[in-house]
Amino acid sequence: MIPDRPTLPSIRDAAVDCRACDLYKRGTQTVFGEGGRTAQVVLIGEQPGNDEDLSGHPFVGPAGKLLDRALESAGIDRAVCYVTNVVKHFKWEPRGKRRIHKKPSASEIAACRPWLDTEIELLKPRVIVCLGATAAQALLGRTFRVTAHRGEAVPSPLAPVVIATVHPSSILRAPDDESRREEMRRFTDDLRKVRNALSSK
Ligand code: SF4
């Protein structure tokens, strides 16, 4: 479904009708990446959440707002960022009246990968940030452990600097205020490495 001479607007339009895996049946709509055409940093999460599914925009829910705050604290201008996900439809299961996030399968991640690869190819970012294990393992290999290597620059053909850290939603799930503050501090520290990578070139 990737157009012959892809551009960000043309692949976004094409992805609206994607049926490459069954997730289109469950999600409200395709939630494609968003950000400036000249973005220097591409931040990649797992999949859209409930708010993103309903609005059609990535990282607009509570985790996205936390990401915005951490980027600001780290001194990264949101205007140089592009945010996207490895899977572009919301996978969920019902729990009462709520729709609960369900991790995408390896085959769903593989089916959606051409969209992400084309986004990266078109943007040619200086830095890629994998947010959480699903994105990190999709891009850096199944054995990659965010807990062991968060904030480290990982050699990759995808961009001059590739870093993995936690997904902001994991900070929201911290058991108490103190651990949430500590997790936010560590997340912001990881993003400062992104800012340093941007200013060192
Ligand atoms: S999740 Fe990705 S591959 Fe599957 S239907 Fe949606 S856009 Fe297509």
Side-chain angles (χ1 to χ4, degrees):
M1 291 191 67
I2 308 282
D4 279 348
R5 290 189 185 170
T7 61
L8 284 174
S10 75
I11 56 170
R12 182 175 293 114
D13 285 352
V16 168
D17 298 318
C18 183
R19 304 285 184 265
C21 77
D22 280 347
L23 291 185
Y24 76 92
K25 296 176 184 167
R26 210 176 306 190
T28 306
Q29 57 196 316
T30 307
V31 181
F32 212 73
E34 287 183 0
R37 171 67 190 88
T38 56
Q40 297 170 24
V41 183
V42 173
L43 299 120
I44 305 170
E46 181 192 82
Q47 63 166 332
N50 187 62
D51 293 340
E52 288 78 10
D53 172 72
L54 296 174
S55 71
H57 301 288
F59 286 95
V60 292
K65 292 190 171 64
L66 186 148
L67 174 63
D68 288 347
R69 284 204 305 280
L71 286 168
E72 192 180 347
S73 300
I76 300 171
D77 185 353
R78 191 69 170 69
V80 304
C81 298
Y82 180 96
V83 288
T84 190
N85 287 294
V86 290
V87 165
K88 312 269 195 262
H89 270 96
F90 180 34
K91 183 174 183 181
W92 57 277
E93 58 190 4
R95 194 172 302 162
K97 287 185 178 166
R98 296 179 63 208
R99 303 190 302 168
I100 303 298
H101 160 274
K102 194 166 183 220
K103 190 174 156 56
S105 68
S107 64
E108 289 155 352
I109 291 170
C112 215
R113 184 63 188 259
W115 298 120
L116 177 62
D117 283 340
T118 311
E119 288 175 294
I120 294 172
E121 210 175 289
L122 290 169
L123 286 159
K124 296 187 175 42
R126 281 162 62 180
V127 185
I128 287 177
V129 185
C130 302
L131 299 168
T134 302
Q137 291 176 356
L139 271 75
L140 301 171
R142 283 187 185 191
T143 59
F144 186 89
R145 292 284 170 269
V146 173
T147 43
H149 299 291
R150 66 181 291 172
E152 294 176 8
V154 185
S156 165
L158 295 171
V161 177
V162 179
I163 285 176
T165 182
V166 296
H167 193 282
S169 62
S170 70
I171 301 171
L172 296 170
R173 293 194 301 271
D176 52 58
D177 287 350
E178 193 182 330
S179 40
R180 197 169 305 115
R181 269 195 299 275
E182 171 61 11
E183 282 307 312
M184 186 64 171
R185 186 193 63 72
R186 294 185 69 199
F187 185 54
T188 307
D189 280 352
D190 290 340
L191 294 179
R192 282 200 185 94
K193 292 170 188 160
V194 173
R195 183 205 56 199
N196 293 344
L198 288 174
S199 51
S200 70
K201 299 205 172 184

